[in-house]
Amino acid sequence: MCLDLPTLMKIHNVFHMDLLLPYKEMEQYGTPYTHPPPIIDSEEEYEIENILEAQHFGKKHKLQYLIHWKGYPHSDDQWIDHKDLNTPDLLAEFYLSNSTTAWQLTV
């Protein structure tokens, strides 16, 4: 089955019918996001609302942060590597509000 997907989605638009399920709106998933992020320099630009958690992940213990995106439901929260963040104000705010565990989360 060939799907009509937004042009910004860089995925193949043909799927086997057995892989597709009808969409059911459920309360536990919250309201669906109805508009894409703004386009800046021909790329989608997302804004971080706040940092929820931090963790060390993998064999190399990479520092990651759980990010909540502005305007998106919590189901879209995402773990992002420290090196990929450019939000010094939000990082400072996170460490000030989580000072009891901040000593464990060094870069």
Side-chain angles (χ1 to χ4, degrees):
M1 173 173 274
C2 184
L3 300 178
D4 184 22
L5 299 174
T7 56
L8 292 175
M9 293 183 75
K10 306 270 190 240
I11 61 172
H12 193 62
N13 64 345
V14 177
F15 298 87
H16 192 279
M17 273 183 81
D18 291 344
L19 298 175
L20 301 175
L21 299 171
Y23 173 75
K24 291 182 186 175
E25 197 167 311
M26 302 174 82
E27 262 185 53
Q28 69 192 43
Y29 298 127
T31 54
Y33 191 72
T34 56
H35 61 282
I39 307 298
I40 298 174
D41 295 331
S42 72
E43 291 189 20
E44 295 177 339
E45 184 75 26
Y46 297 89
E47 185 177 346
I48 297 173
E49 185 170 315
N50 59 2
I51 299 172
L52 305 173
E53 293 181 42
Q55 71 175 7
H56 288 284
F57 181 77
K59 287 184 179 181
K60 295 184 179 184
H61 300 284
K62 292 191 299 185
L63 181 57
Q64 294 182 328
Y65 297 97
L66 183 61
I67 301 301
H68 177 67
W69 302 107
K70 187 174 185 176
Y72 286 84
H74 281 284
S75 60
D76 287 338
D77 292 352
Q78 189 174 20
W79 288 100
I80 303 292
D81 287 345
H82 175 78
K83 66 177 178 63
D84 295 330
L85 285 181
N86 187 20
T87 57
D89 295 341
L90 288 176
L91 284 170
E93 182 181 314
F94 171 76
Y95 281 110
L96 284 174
S97 63
N98 295 291
S99 60
T100 56
T101 58
W103 62 272
Q104 298 173 347
L105 301 171
T106 57
V107 177

